Amino acid sequence: MSEEEQPRWSDVLKRRLANSNKDARSEEEIKAEETELFTKYYTEWKGGGGNNKPLSNIPRFYYKLPAEDEVLLQKLREESRAVFLQRKSRELLDNEELQSLWFLLDKHQVPPLSGEEAMISYESYLQVRDKAGPKCKNFFTARVYAKLLNNDPYGRISIMHFFNYVMRKVWLHQTRIGLSLYDVAGQGYLRESDLENYILELIPTLPQLDGLEKSFYSFYVCTAVRKFFFFLDPLRTGKIKIQDILACSFLDDLLELRDEELSKESQESNWFSAPSALRVYGQYLNLDKDHNGMLSKEELSRYGTATLTTVFLDRVFQECLTYDGEMDYKTYLDFVLALENRKEPAALQYIFKLLDIEEQGYLNVFSLNYFFRAIQEQIKLHGQEPVSFQDVKDEIFDMVKPKDPYKITLQDLVNSCQGDTVTSILIDLNGFWTYENREVLVANDNDSIGAADLIDS
């Protein structure tokens, strides 16, 4: 075609513009068409088509657990979990590999020493990572190195601190796998029966429990398990996350009993030790005067210094699980854990529920007066001058400093760090007396210390 016969681009544009002006559709119709076209092309681009096709692209994320009568599926699930846990266990460092890692770290230490500690630089740290093997690579990250930095002028970290970190991580993974073997449901938590089986099978591996008679095993297991459930299952769901068990210190306390040379003081302060378990069970037997294996309200009133108020004990038997008005050993353990750990939020929650007689979620002046009247009655029985409730009430509100000046919530008690003192004032004559005479007791302690220093000199 010759140059003259070709249409000029300006003419083409004019015709196109003229044709576009002839579109009689409204703006709404044009927008609707654009939206429709966009949806169509976007759906095609994403791989969809019809109305139900996009759903097929969502990967399955929920698998229903097999029912009790589906024996084959349950066995398959158990076997697959066992294989998975074995594979995870093989991925962990064994004793020989840990020893090899220690030799490598020691070989790559960078002088000078920091005090008596061998140190390693980041460059040497990376060299050890490359030589240590694939199992160790997850430990040798920049994040871990940065966490372990501790004001070293050369930017190094302690070899011992790093090795302890690796040991702790390996122990946590080993314990996680060990606990998971008892997770029958395979959902990441242990029921009471699961944890009982775990501790029962752990007893022979703990030298500090060698002296326990087999007839006492069931009571020991019950005593140990209650501590886990009292503190880690505040909503009383009957199960605890394995993650929560690993995060708390209870497992450390339990496994501390592997130490054959554990001091007497450490054993007495450890809830899981044989002396501690025998002490708690012995107290229970001593309180059980009629030897029926249960505690009545009158028998429980002799607990500790026998100064708990009758009003408080009434509330215990109203709120806690009893059998024909008597308390079994498991319920007694919850009671002991609450009263022996009054500073802990879980213990305060237990006691707060008993103090909240109107179930309003807070304590008001009426609640405080209701419980303190029993303290006043006990004071009169001992021939002492009764203390004014108004004074005690003002002191309690001053100690707690609640958000609402007329109501004390559980969170107020926890935040104030005075929850143990407040609850002792309201439920225990001995606790109230200790608080009331705190200045005298402190002065006596100081005098005793001064006298001891004088004798020493």
Side-chain angles (χ1 to χ4, degrees):
M1 188 184 282
S2 64
E3 204 171 304
E4 288 80 9
E5 290 174 341
Q6 288 181 356
R8 296 176 61 186
W9 64 267
S10 56
D11 295 334
V12 174
L13 282 175
K14 282 176 185 177
R15 283 199 301 272
R16 175 76 62 157
L17 194 58
N19 290 334
S20 66
N21 290 337
K22 289 176 185 176
D23 194 344
R25 292 179 301 169
S26 64
E27 276 190 40
E28 288 77 10
E29 290 172 328
I30 294 169
K31 272 191 177 179
E33 186 187 11
E34 286 176 358
T35 305
E36 186 183 341
L37 288 170
F38 173 78
T39 306
K40 176 189 170 186
Y41 294 134
Y42 182 76
T43 306
E44 288 175 1
W45 175 66
K46 291 292 285 184
N51 292 333
N52 297 324
K53 283 187 179 178
L55 297 177
S56 64
N57 295 325
I58 300 174
R60 186 174 179 183
F61 56 87
Y62 174 72
Y63 294 87
K64 189 178 178 182
L65 291 175
E68 288 183 10
D69 57 341
E70 296 176 316
V71 181
L72 190 60
L73 285 176
Q74 283 193 339
K75 287 290 181 188
L76 176 63
R77 180 179 167 79
E78 286 173 18
E79 285 299 317
S80 60
R81 282 190 68 247
V83 170
F84 171 75
L85 292 173
Q86 285 171 7
R87 189 172 75 244
K88 285 292 178 187
S89 184
R90 287 196 296 270
E91 290 173 6
L92 299 177
L93 295 171
D94 58 29
N95 288 337
E96 286 184 11
E97 288 166 326
L98 283 168
Q99 197 170 15
S100 299
L101 176 62
W102 172 254
F103 288 141
L104 268 175
L105 288 167
D106 190 51
K107 187 178 176 182
H108 287 77
Q109 63 174 281
V110 176
L113 296 176
S114 177
E116 295 181 359
E117 295 231 7
M119 310 294 282
I120 189 169
S121 67
Y122 189 63
E123 290 76 14
S124 300
Y125 175 81
L126 294 179
Q127 288 172 16
V128 174
R129 180 196 66 184
D130 295 336
K131 294 177 182 177
K135 282 189 182 180
C136 295
K137 282 202 172 179
N138 290 336
F139 301 116
F140 287 85
T141 64
R143 185 187 292 270
V144 170
Y145 190 90
K147 279 182 180 178
L148 295 173
L149 277 173
N150 191 23
N151 300 324
D152 181 69
Y154 304 101
R156 303 167 303 168
I157 62 170
S158 162
I159 287 175
M160 181 59 76
H161 289 176
F162 174 72
F163 189 70
N164 286 341
Y165 165 81
V166 174
M167 292 270 286
R168 177 70 179 170
K169 277 284 187 182
V170 170
W171 178 83
L172 279 172
H173 286 302
Q174 284 175 341
T175 311
R176 174 71 186 259
I177 291 167
L179 287 168
S180 296
L181 291 171
Y182 294 85
D183 175 14
V184 177
Q187 296 292 292
Y189 60 76
L190 296 183
R191 299 168 304 177
E192 201 162 335
S193 57
D194 300 332
L195 194 56
E196 284 173 353
N197 291 333
Y198 173 74
I199 292 175
L200 185 62
E201 293 182 21
L202 195 65
I203 290 175
T205 69
L206 305 174
Q208 288 295 337
L209 300 180
D210 285 346
L212 283 183
E213 294 182 11
K214 288 200 173 181
S215 59
F216 185 68
Y217 277 12
S218 60
F219 294 102
Y220 175 81
V221 169
C222 181
T223 305
V225 168
R226 279 326 297 163
K227 180 158 188 177
F228 282 95
F229 275 84
F230 182 82
F231 288 102
L232 301 181
D233 182 28
L235 299 178
R236 304 296 178 254
T237 60
K239 55 190 181 184
I240 308 174
K241 286 182 181 178
I242 292 175
Q243 202 169 349
D244 291 341
I245 295 174
L246 293 171
C248 75
S249 63
F250 301 157
L251 210 54
D252 289 333
D253 295 340
L254 181 60
L255 297 178
E256 188 181 44
L257 303 179
R258 287 176 174 167
D259 184 359
E260 295 182 16
E261 298 177 1
L262 194 64
S263 67
K264 189 178 178 182
E265 293 76 15
S266 297
Q267 288 189 54
E268 287 174 355
S269 62
N270 188 334
W271 174 267
F272 302 102
S273 69
S276 176
L278 291 167
R279 170 185 66 84
V280 175
Y281 187 63
Q283 287 173 348
Y284 183 78
L285 293 180
N286 289 335
L287 292 172
D288 182 21
K289 285 298 178 187
D290 58 8
H291 306 294
N292 69 342
M294 310 280 274
L295 298 183
S296 65
K297 194 188 305 177
E298 185 183 343
E299 288 171 331
L300 188 64
S301 67
R302 294 183 297 104
Y303 171 79
T305 53
T307 52
L308 292 172
T309 65
T310 53
V311 172
F312 176 67
L313 291 171
D314 287 342
R315 287 293 294 150
V316 171
F317 278 81
Q318 285 169 13
E319 289 292 332
C320 297
L321 179 65
T322 56
Y323 302 87
D324 295 326
E326 293 200 316
M327 177 186 286
D328 70 344
Y329 184 55
K330 193 178 286 188
T331 307
Y332 172 76
L333 287 171
D334 284 348
F335 177 80
V336 172
L337 284 164
L339 294 188
E340 288 189 358
N341 300 275
R342 294 183 209 184
K343 289 180 182 290
E344 298 296 325
L348 286 175
Q349 181 182 351
Y350 177 96
I351 299 172
F352 186 88
K353 185 181 178 183
L354 303 177
L355 297 178
D356 182 16
I357 50 175
E358 297 176 293
E359 297 184 357
Q360 300 177 114
Y362 60 83
L363 306 180
N364 53 21
V365 175
F366 173 80
S367 307
L368 301 180
N369 187 35
Y370 180 82
F371 284 95
F372 191 71
R373 272 187 309 181
I375 296 287
Q376 289 175 316
E377 287 168 12
Q378 284 194 354
I379 292 171
K380 286 178 186 175
L381 287 174
H382 286 79
Q384 301 293 322
E385 278 290 320
V387 179
S388 164
F389 167 70
Q390 201 65 31
D391 294 341
V392 171
K393 184 255 302 180
D394 290 342
E395 286 189 42
I396 287 174
F397 274 90
D398 285 344
M399 274 193 287
V400 177
K401 296 181 177 60
K403 286 185 178 179
D404 186 322
Y406 302 103
K407 301 173 183 176
I408 297 175
T409 64
L410 173 60
Q411 196 57 50
D412 290 329
L413 278 180
V414 173
N415 293 343
S416 70
C417 299
Q418 298 290 337
D420 58 320
T421 305
V422 172
T423 53
S424 297
I425 289 170
L426 295 173
I427 68 174
D428 184 3
L429 177 62
N430 189 51
F432 171 74
W433 184 88
T434 303
Y435 172 74
E436 192 69 7
N437 296 278
R438 60 196 180 283
E439 293 174 2
V440 177
L441 293 172
V442 169
N444 288 343
D445 286 344
N446 290 338
D447 290 345
S448 301
I449 292 167
D453 290 342
L454 189 63
I455 291 167
D456 291 341
S457 62

